[in-house]
Amino acid sequence: MLTGVPPRSPKDTFITVYGRKPVLEALTDPRLVVDKIITADNARGGSLSAILAAARDRGVPVQQATAHRVKVLAGNGHHDQGVLADVVAPKMRPLPDYLEELAQLPGDTPCALLVLDAVTNPGNVGMVLRTATAAGIDGVLLPRRGVPAIDPLVIKASAGVAFRAPVLRAATAAEGCAQLRAAGIRVLGLAGDASVSLLRDPLPERVALVLGNETDGLSDAVRAELDGTVSIPMRGGVESLNVASAAAVACYELLRRREG
C-alpha cells in the first residue's frame, strides 16, 4: 500500500465549468452531478435567474463570493460571467490513488496509460480524452502544470466526454512518470526517431505512453524519466502526426493488443 498519499484536492475531484451557458447546460444535463454553484455577488440578469432556478430544481447548493474570487476559482479572468459550477468527475483521481488500487491487483494485470507532456492546445487535450475513453485506456495523466485545465474549450473538443474520462493527476508530467516507474509501469515516449515500432515490436503489459508538446516534442525533464521511446511508422515523407492523431493511433494499438 502506498504511503504519504495526501488528501484529495477538489481540483482532483471536480471539473469547474464557468460561463452562464455552460453552467446552465451542466445543470440541465441529467448525466452530470453538480456539486455546487458559485455566483459573484454583483451578478445579475435573466440568465442568472434561470441558473438559480435550475439549481433549485436539482437541489444544488448555491454559494456567493466576490467577483474577484469567482475569477480566481474559474481560472479565467474574462469569460466566467460571474458564475461557475463544480461538476463531479467520477473517474478523475490523483495518480497515487490509481497506483494504490493497481497494487492490490495480481501482478500480471495489464494496464495501458497515456501521459500528456506540455500538450498546450485545449482542442488537442479534449480530443485525446475523447479517444482514450473510447478505446478503454485505463488513465490519461493530465499534470496540473504544463497542460490546460479541463475548461469549456477542452470539454467542447471532447464532446462532453471529459466529464467521464479516466483522468489521473500529478503535479508535473515528469513527477507522474517517476511515480509510474516506481510502481513498475514502463514509461515509453512517442518519438519520431525511435527505433522501436509502436505497431510492430513487443510492448510491456503495464505501459504508459507519453505524448509530447505539439511543436517541441518530449521535454528534457520527461525524457530523463523514460524507460525508452517508440515511434509510429511514417510513410510518404511525413515527419509527424498531430498529437491528437498520434494519441488515436496509440490508443487503438493498445486496445488491439489487449483484445489480441
Side-chain angles (χ1 to χ4, degrees):
M1 184 169 178
L2 299 182
T3 59
V5 178
R8 183 177 295 194
S9 164
K11 292 182 179 180
D12 296 337
T13 305
F14 306 120
I15 292 175
T16 298
V17 177
Y18 55 82
R20 299 193 179 191
K21 182 178 179 182
V23 168
L24 186 58
E25 288 176 347
L27 282 168
T28 54
D29 187 338
R31 298 169 298 177
L32 302 180
V33 176
V34 180
D35 182 73
K36 61 182 172 293
I37 303 293
I38 302 178
T39 65
D41 52 14
N42 62 350
R44 302 289 185 274
S47 57
L48 182 63
S49 298
I51 288 170
L52 297 177
R56 184 170 58 251
D57 290 344
R58 291 193 60 179
V60 176
V62 178
Q63 302 174 6
Q64 272 201 343
T66 65
H68 174 72
R69 180 62 178 163
V70 170
K71 292 184 186 301
V72 169
L73 292 172
N76 189 305
H78 302 290
H79 303 293
D80 62 84
Q81 299 178 311
V83 63
L84 61 83
D86 281 340
V87 180
V88 176
K91 294 186 178 180
M92 182 166 68
R93 51 184 164 165
L95 178 59
D97 286 12
Y98 169 78
L99 295 178
E100 184 171 17
E101 181 179 293
L102 185 66
Q104 309 307 313
L105 301 177
D108 59 352
T109 303
C111 73
L113 308 170
L114 293 185
V115 179
L116 300 191
D117 173 23
V119 175
T120 58
N121 184 296
N124 284 334
V125 174
M127 287 187 283
V128 169
L129 291 178
R130 181 174 177 82
T131 301
T133 304
I137 296 300
D138 296 301
V140 181
L141 176 58
L142 294 186
R144 299 184 192 95
R145 297 196 295 273
V147 173
I150 302 178
D151 63 9
L153 293 176
V154 172
I155 294 166
K156 181 177 180 180
S158 77
V161 172
F163 289 115
R164 60 180 187 275
V167 174
L168 305 175
R169 307 309 302 267
T172 66
E175 179 181 298
C177 288
Q179 292 176 354
L180 291 168
R181 292 180 68 202
I185 298 170
R186 296 270 291 176
V187 181
L188 305 175
L190 281 174
D193 58 356
S195 60
V196 177
S197 170
L198 174 68
L199 305 186
R200 182 185 64 246
D201 295 311
L203 290 178
E205 286 297 307
R206 292 187 171 185
V207 64
L209 297 179
V210 187
L211 297 153
N213 176 267
E214 292 90 343
T215 302
D216 300 322
L218 298 167
S219 67
D220 291 341
V222 165
R223 281 186 178 274
E225 298 294 344
L226 297 179
D227 292 301
T229 56
V230 296
S231 64
I232 296 174
M234 295 288 161
R235 304 290 183 266
V238 177
E239 294 183 356
S240 64
L241 297 176
N242 165 274
V243 66
S245 299
V249 174
C251 287
Y252 278 93
E253 175 60 16
L254 292 171
L255 175 62
R256 184 190 70 82
R257 290 175 183 248
R258 176 174 286 184
E259 295 190 342

